[in-house]
Amino acid sequence: PTPPFGAGGARVESVQVIGEQGVPTTAVLGGERVTLRVEVSAVRDVTSAIVGFNLKDRLGQVLFGDNTCLATAGAPVVLAPGQTAVAEFIFTMPRLRSGKYSVDIAVAEGTQNEHVQHQWFFDGALVDVLTDGFVAGLMSLPMQSVTLVAQR
């Protein structure tokens, strides 16, 4: 594994993938509601903490990701040395091809466009995604409607 990198002012303490049943898991079903919970701690004063993630496929391609910057823009999260914070990302896992996926995890300080990366973990979590059905391409979209009607 690649060692984490960054300025060191904060660090990732734990990462959990939590399935619909509300318990940590290493395998989720495409279409399932998932919570990614990341606990971070400050090593020094952090004036505007940001926690983010990227989900990657087996080739290392980023499929999607997000961070807490916009959610906390109106009230930045300030951490004193030793203080912890927990970020939760709740989303529906896309219907990806069944297989192993990795999650990069990061804690930074600043804004979306200008920040200091305190710690970035490549492959900070691994998850098996299982999909019950056909997936064409990288993922299938949840269809609003699919019909086939014979015409006279």
Side-chain angles (χ1 to χ4, degrees), residues 57 59 61-63 94-97 101 135-140:
D57 68 8
L59 300 175
Q61 299 176 101
V62 175
L63 301 178
R95 286 181 168 85
L96 302 167
R97 290 179 183 238
Y101 293 81
V135 177
L138 295 175
M139 67 184 79
S140 66

Side-chain angles (χ1 to χ4, degrees), residues 17-151:
V17 176
I18 300 167
E20 281 187 355
Q21 292 71 33
V23 295
T25 185
T26 58
V28 298
L29 185 63
E32 179 179 356
R33 182 181 167 178
V34 173
T35 301
L36 178 65
R37 182 177 293 148
V38 181
E39 182 180 5
V40 299
S41 67
V43 174
R44 62 164 181 76
D45 287 324
V46 175
T47 59
S48 182
I50 304 169
V51 177
F53 79 97
N54 287 326
L55 184 94
K56 302 183 306 186
D57 68 8
R58 64 181 178 78
L59 300 175
Q61 299 176 101
V62 175
L63 301 178
F64 65 91
D66 209 337
N67 65 52
T68 60
C69 192
L70 293 178
T72 60
V77 175
V78 177
L79 299 173
Q83 188 175 7
T84 62
V86 175
E88 286 191 345
F89 302 90
I90 300 171
F91 56 93
T92 300
M93 180 60 75
R95 286 181 168 85
L96 302 167
R97 290 179 183 238
S98 292
K100 295 189 181 305
Y101 293 81
S102 64
V103 185
D104 291 346
I105 303 291
V107 58
E109 177 179 14
T111 66
Q112 187 78 22
N113 296 324
E114 193 173 319
H115 54 269
V116 173
Q117 198 65 253
H118 285 302
Q119 191 173 58
W120 181 290
F121 268 104
F122 288 102
D123 308 328
L126 299 176
V127 63
D128 286 314
V129 177
L130 311 170
T131 300
D132 57 350
F134 175 70
V135 177
L138 295 175
M139 67 184 79
S140 66
L141 297 176
M143 294 291 123
Q144 300 301 310
S145 174
V146 176
T147 63
L148 174 63
V149 178
Q151 303 294 307

